[in-house]
Amino acid sequence: MADTLYGVNPVIEAIKAGKRRAVKLYLSGKRHDKYEDIIRQFSKRLSLPLEIVDKRDLDNIALTQNHQGIAGIFQTYPYSGIKDMLDYAKQKKEKPFLIALDEIQDPQNTGAIIRTASCLGVHGVIITKRHSSYITPAVVKASAGATEYMNISIVPNLRAEIESLKRDNLIAIAMYENGTNNFKDIQSGNGIILAIGSEGNGIRKPVLDVCDYSVSIPLKSPISSLNASVSAGIGMYMLINNYR
């Protein structure tokens, strides 16, 4: 099995990260800039086949017109285990900071959350097995390639996974529209799990019930809620700055 990644950052970051093996690269014949040079250098250095194609062919290869003239065939995304995330935090001598996405199906939200998590130094992202956007090429594109640097795990039962992590004294926090806590209330324990719900349904009750805190973001607008990725970004920033 293989994935066709597309776009400047996803393809370049996937090659640089080395998380999965590149098989072949594609370049639009109309692309003449530094990124063309970078792709040609990667092809030469790594002995990767490089095919120059016209835009219509690249549209068909990438299954989108949003490829920026660059695409590549890569091995499918290698998911991590929860232990990998905890080991990574230990390696960095930091308390674990994990993000749990509760049935978020929009690839743009999933990718944007992973991008912010990577930039802020989160150790891993947990995705539910059902009703979730996996790490597809669209998610990689939305993350600007940040997926290639992140530990990401798929779990069948998010509530059970959070309960397991809590036994190691990690604190579970839900971003929740009707949350009863603010960020100053939170005690970080041995680490943090921040749970984010989908825009349509929010956090499911079984997940909310197992969280130690529920936090809402005060809004000063008639608009009743924030985009899931924006809410996640605010939550991550507040928690990392207060408790790391």
Side-chain angles (χ1 to χ4, degrees), residues 82-101:
I82 303 298
K83 185 177 183 300
D84 296 315
M85 304 177 185
L86 301 178
D87 287 346
Y88 179 54
K90 186 176 181 180
Q91 175 188 332
K92 296 188 72 176
K93 298 181 180 179
E94 296 172 346
K95 291 183 178 181
F97 192 110
L98 310 181
I99 305 299
L101 305 186

Side-chain angles (χ1 to χ4, degrees), residues 158-179:
L158 184 57
R159 177 190 171 102
E161 203 62 58
I162 290 174
E163 287 180 318
S164 175
L165 288 164
K166 286 178 63 176
R167 286 194 286 272
D168 290 329
N169 200 27
L170 272 73
I171 302 300
I173 304 153
M175 295 297 294
Y176 180 53
E177 184 178 0
N178 299 314

Side-chain angles (χ1 to χ4, degrees), residues 36-54:
E36 177 198 10
D37 294 338
I38 290 171
I39 294 299
R40 287 184 180 278
Q41 289 167 16
F42 278 138
S43 172
K44 184 176 181 180
R45 189 169 80 238
L46 302 174
S47 299
L48 290 172
L50 172 62
E51 186 174 344
I52 310 301
V53 295
D54 63 26

Side-chain angles (χ1 to χ4, degrees), residues 1-4 20-21 23 73-77:
M1 296 290 290
D3 287 338
T4 302
R20 46 177 156 174
R21 186 172 65 86
V23 177
I73 308 295
F74 291 80
Q75 288 182 325
T76 53
Y77 189 81

Side-chain angles (χ1 to χ4, degrees), residues 5-178:
L5 303 187
Y6 55 86
V8 170
N9 287 327
V11 172
I12 290 175
E13 297 304 336
I15 295 171
K16 287 167 60 178
K19 192 179 184 77
R20 46 177 156 174
R21 186 172 65 86
V23 177
K24 184 176 181 178
L25 300 174
Y26 295 94
L27 189 63
S28 167
K30 292 186 177 180
R31 181 117 214 179
H32 303 294
D33 59 7
K34 67 177 182 179
Y35 296 114
E36 177 198 10
D37 294 338
I38 290 171
I39 294 299
R40 287 184 180 278
Q41 289 167 16
F42 278 138
S43 172
K44 184 176 181 180
R45 189 169 80 238
L46 302 174
S47 299
L48 290 172
L50 172 62
E51 186 174 344
I52 310 301
V53 295
D54 63 26
K55 182 183 182 302
R56 181 176 296 179
D57 286 340
L58 200 49
D59 292 348
N60 292 331
I61 291 165
L63 300 178
T64 178
Q65 296 182 0
N66 190 28
H67 48 64
Q68 300 175 299
I70 293 174
I73 308 295
F74 291 80
Q75 288 182 325
T76 53
Y77 189 81
Y79 292 96
S80 304
I82 303 298
K83 185 177 183 300
D84 296 315
M85 304 177 185
L86 301 178
D87 287 346
Y88 179 54
K90 186 176 181 180
Q91 175 188 332
K92 296 188 72 176
K93 298 181 180 179
E94 296 172 346
K95 291 183 178 181
F97 192 110
L98 310 181
I99 305 299
L101 305 186
D102 188 22
E103 296 193 349
I104 293 183
Q105 300 182 51
D106 178 10
Q108 296 299 314
N109 270 326
T110 299
I113 290 169
I114 292 169
R115 182 177 185 175
T116 302
S118 178
C119 290
L120 293 179
V122 167
H123 302 109
V125 175
I126 304 168
I127 295 174
T128 51
K129 188 173 183 179
R130 297 183 62 211
H131 305 135
S132 291
S133 178
Y134 291 0
I135 307 307
T136 62
V139 170
V140 180
K141 180 69 165 63
S143 79
T147 52
E148 308 308 298
Y149 298 95
M150 180 61 65
N151 289 308
I152 301 173
S153 181
I154 295 175
V155 299
N157 187 324
L158 184 57
R159 177 190 171 102
E161 203 62 58
I162 290 174
E163 287 180 318
S164 175
L165 288 164
K166 286 178 63 176
R167 286 194 286 272
D168 290 329
N169 200 27
L170 272 73
I171 302 300
I173 304 153
M175 295 297 294
Y176 180 53
E177 184 178 0
N178 299 314

